[in-house]
Amino acid sequence: MNNSKQTTKEEMNQIELVIGKILRIGVIISATIMMIGLLIFILTGKSGYSGNYHPSSFKEIFTGVTQLKSYAIMMVGIFCLILTPVLRVIVSIYSFYKEHDMLYVYITTFVLLVLIFSFFLGQ
């Protein structure tokens, strides 16, 4: 009995380490993508879009990335930064499931669904 609790505590420590790595790697990837976009903007002096136009849909942003438009690349970096805590929520669901804490599994799943709906409704 005591051995299984210790194993569970070790598993939770491993999950916490994974969560920390996900957050660090997500921030580093996002910052790198945004710096690439900023570097292209500084070198070309153009955002890739005319006037005050800014792409607002995923299709426009990813089309802009394929055309190496600096503003679109920076938007992808921001999008990755937004996705980083979403990944944290997903790992938290797994963590609570491993702890057999179903109340927090349901609450965290609800938070994830709200995040997903907000992404689609916020366009």
Side-chain angles (χ1 to χ4, degrees):
M1 178 91 176
N2 194 13
N3 193 17
S4 67
K5 282 187 176 181
Q6 186 176 12
T7 302
T8 303
K9 188 171 182 168
E10 288 174 12
E11 286 177 346
M12 292 303 109
N13 287 339
Q14 289 293 326
I15 290 171
E16 290 296 323
L17 287 174
V18 169
I19 289 171
K21 286 180 183 176
I22 286 172
L23 293 175
R24 267 185 258 135
I25 290 171
V27 169
I28 290 169
I29 289 172
S30 302
T32 302
I33 293 171
M34 285 189 277
M35 290 176 115
I36 291 170
L38 181 62
L39 185 66
I40 291 172
F41 178 74
I42 290 171
L43 292 176
T44 63
K46 297 177 183 175
S47 69
Y49 298 95
S50 61
N52 289 330
Y53 180 77
H54 303 290
S56 58
S57 70
F58 289 121
K59 184 179 178 184
E60 285 180 306
I61 292 170
F62 289 113
T63 301
V65 169
T66 60
Q67 298 169 350
L68 293 178
K69 293 182 178 182
S70 61
Y71 191 79
I73 294 171
M74 287 189 274
M75 292 287 287
V76 169
I78 292 170
F79 182 68
C80 288
L81 190 62
I82 291 170
L83 281 183
T84 301
V86 174
L87 286 175
R88 200 266 187 251
V89 170
I90 292 170
V91 173
S92 293
I93 292 171
Y94 175 73
S95 172
F96 291 132
Y97 178 76
K98 291 293 281 183
E99 290 178 356
H100 304 285
D101 195 346
M102 296 310 288
L103 176 63
Y104 282 104
V105 169
Y106 297 135
I107 291 171
T108 312
T109 302
F110 177 74
V111 169
L112 179 63
L113 291 174
V114 168
L115 286 170
I116 290 170
F117 283 125
S118 70
F119 285 137
F120 288 109
L121 295 176
Q123 292 186 15

